Amino acid sequence: MSSAAATQSLADIPTLTQVYRSAGRRQAASSTGDFPPSAAINARVGLVNGDITKLCVDALVNAANTSLSGGGGVDGAMHRAAGPGLLAECRLLRGCPTGEARITRGYRLPAKHVIHTAGPIYDHIDPQRSERLLRSCYEKSLELADACGVKSLAFSSISTGVYGYPSMDAAKVACETVRKYLDRGSSALERVVFVTFEQKGVAAYAEMLP
Ligand code: APR
């Protein structure tokens, strides 16, 4: 199969509404109790397990590092799929502090843009600081997406690979931050997709569903 044939369009990515429907689950009260269930939000949020580089969305969020010089994990996968133009544009940006976000074009990726955010290396001594920085990664990426007219945005699971952030805790930060952002009502984002890759990620996000 060619890589073009393996791409996944937005229509192929289930929203939470469809996830609930296919699982035969009625939307229940939130397990965390922090947020009331929202049919409108469930229709705007997608969840997919697979390779983020295959998604045809307006922008992908890359779990980058502060030098924006590429690396392993999802960052490496994005640079391989995008080709050398991505690294060349990243070099012009002169890095990205932890908790911030920068945008580039997507080059050979099916996505039009890449938003690069540098997540925190998980600090077991000061987990609150890690949480603050991870929350900031999601917020800054969402704000940048809106500022650039992005309508569909797919997040990789920032910091949960080599940076060691516990998946369950990271999933909670991701879900809460996106929910709060969309609840403000000022975003033009039509779809925000969470992308899981390894089984631990899938379990973490499934646990977060109300
Ligand atoms: N598609 C979607 N998710 C992926 C993919 C992929 N192709 N490849 C890996 N992942 C997932 C991992 O399973 C993990 O849950 O991305 C998540 C983030 O893992 P990492 O890529 O290791 O990112 P992070 O923990 O933020 O570490 C960032 O890794 O290579 C470097 O340059 C990067 O230095 C930076 C560091």
Side-chain angles (χ1 to χ4, degrees), residues 11-209:
D12 301 326
I13 300 171
T15 61
L16 294 187
T17 309
Q18 291 163 326
V19 170
Y20 282 124
R21 196 177 299 139
S22 67
R25 265 174 87 177
R26 276 170 55 86
Q27 182 182 279
S30 166
S31 55
T32 64
D34 294 337
F35 298 98
S38 164
I41 296 285
N42 287 350
R44 259 170 110 184
V45 174
L47 181 62
V48 67
N49 179 227
D51 182 354
I52 195 170
T53 67
K54 305 294 184 196
L55 303 185
C56 291
V57 291
D58 287 347
L60 308 176
V61 182
N62 181 20
N65 54 51
T66 55
S67 70
L68 299 183
S69 54
V74 69
D75 194 10
M78 284 199 199
H79 277 273
R80 277 193 303 278
L86 182 60
L87 184 59
E89 187 176 350
C90 281
R91 287 205 173 110
L92 301 175
L93 296 174
R94 298 175 178 273
C96 173
T98 303
E100 303 238 340
R102 302 285 185 267
I103 192 163
T104 64
R105 288 165 49 205
Y107 297 89
R108 293 181 201 150
L109 284 162
K112 289 183 213 134
H113 295 96
V114 178
I115 291 178
H116 306 261
T117 187
I121 298 171
Y122 190 70
D123 183 349
H124 291 268
I125 312 284
D126 192 353
Q128 285 90 351
R129 179 169 183 275
S130 302
E131 185 182 321
R132 253 192 332 271
L133 288 167
L134 186 62
R135 210 171 280 283
S136 172
C137 287
Y138 282 93
E139 271 167 10
K140 295 281 166 91
S141 299
L142 290 159
E143 286 166 2
L144 186 54
D146 260 321
C148 296
V150 166
K151 295 286 182 276
S152 53
L153 179 68
F155 276 103
S156 58
S157 190
I158 301 154
S159 285
T160 62
V162 298
Y163 280 2
Y165 208 113
S167 293
M168 201 68 87
D169 297 340
K172 188 165 189 288
V173 170
C175 292
E176 281 180 2
T177 310
V178 168
R179 174 69 193 259
K180 276 188 194 157
Y181 186 82
L182 295 179
D183 273 352
R184 282 185 218 157
S186 54
S187 173
L189 278 161
E190 291 166 7
R191 191 70 59 82
V192 177
V193 178
F194 293 116
V195 182
T196 62
F197 194 59
E198 296 166 89
Q199 204 48 44
K200 64 182 173 67
V202 178
Y205 280 86
E207 185 69 21
M208 286 304 126
L209 293 179

